[in-house]
Amino acid sequence: MPKGLVELYGLLAVLFVLVPEWMAGGALVSFRDNRRGSELPVTSMAWRRLPELRLASLSLLELRQLAARLRLCGYSRLNRERLTARLLKRIKRQQQRSLRGL
């Protein structure tokens, strides 16, 4: 390959890839610096009220720890989807019991 073509390709790569990436990174930093308060409202009312949102934010390890605390049998062999479904059933059943007790 001719040396001039390689240099042209390098210049184009810088212009079309690296410069826009650099500009976007600078813009994102300036947006974050101008915001006040928390980044995301993690403990919003919906997050506390809906167990689906809480379970979706947990890792598999945290889901299994929760299953152990709730005394869910056979949780260690379940994949994430089945474990989440069983945890949802258990949590909703406990919520219904606590509502009846009030």
Side-chain angles (χ1 to χ4, degrees), residues 85-96:
R86 287 191 61 194
L87 284 168
L88 278 173
K89 281 183 188 177
R90 177 69 59 98
I91 290 170
K92 287 181 180 181
R93 194 178 320 135
Q94 286 181 347
Q95 286 176 347
Q96 288 173 353

Side-chain angles (χ1 to χ4, degrees), residues 31-49:
F31 289 143
R32 189 178 309 135
D33 291 341
N34 291 332
R35 286 187 52 169
R36 291 192 175 91
S38 66
E39 298 265 335
L40 291 173
V42 176
T43 57
S44 68
M45 286 299 292
W47 190 83
R48 280 184 266 146
R49 192 175 58 242

Side-chain angles (χ1 to χ4, degrees):
M1 264 223 202
K3 184 178 179 183
L5 192 60
V6 172
E7 288 179 0
L8 177 65
Y9 178 75
L11 179 65
L12 290 175
V14 168
L15 290 176
F16 290 118
V17 177
L18 297 178
V19 172
E21 289 278 334
W22 173 70
M23 290 171 56
L28 289 174
V29 168
S30 69
F31 289 143
R32 189 178 309 135
D33 291 341
N34 291 332
R35 286 187 52 169
R36 291 192 175 91
S38 66
E39 298 265 335
L40 291 173
V42 176
T43 57
S44 68
M45 286 299 292
W47 190 83
R48 280 184 266 146
R49 192 175 58 242
L50 297 173
E52 292 89 352
L53 292 177
R54 283 186 279 159
L55 293 178
S57 67
L58 297 177
S59 68
L60 185 58
L61 173 66
E62 292 167 328
L63 286 173
R64 287 184 173 155
Q65 289 172 346
L66 177 62
R69 280 196 307 268
L70 294 176
R71 294 183 177 94
L72 197 66
C73 295
Y75 65 87
S76 62
R77 63 181 161 83
L78 299 175
N79 63 14
R80 182 179 182 87
E81 291 81 23
R82 293 189 66 194
L83 181 58
T84 302
R86 287 191 61 194
L87 284 168
L88 278 173
K89 281 183 188 177
R90 177 69 59 98
I91 290 170
K92 287 181 180 181
R93 194 178 320 135
Q94 286 181 347
Q95 286 176 347
Q96 288 173 353
R97 287 179 188 160
S98 67
L99 289 176
R100 279 189 248 146
L102 293 174

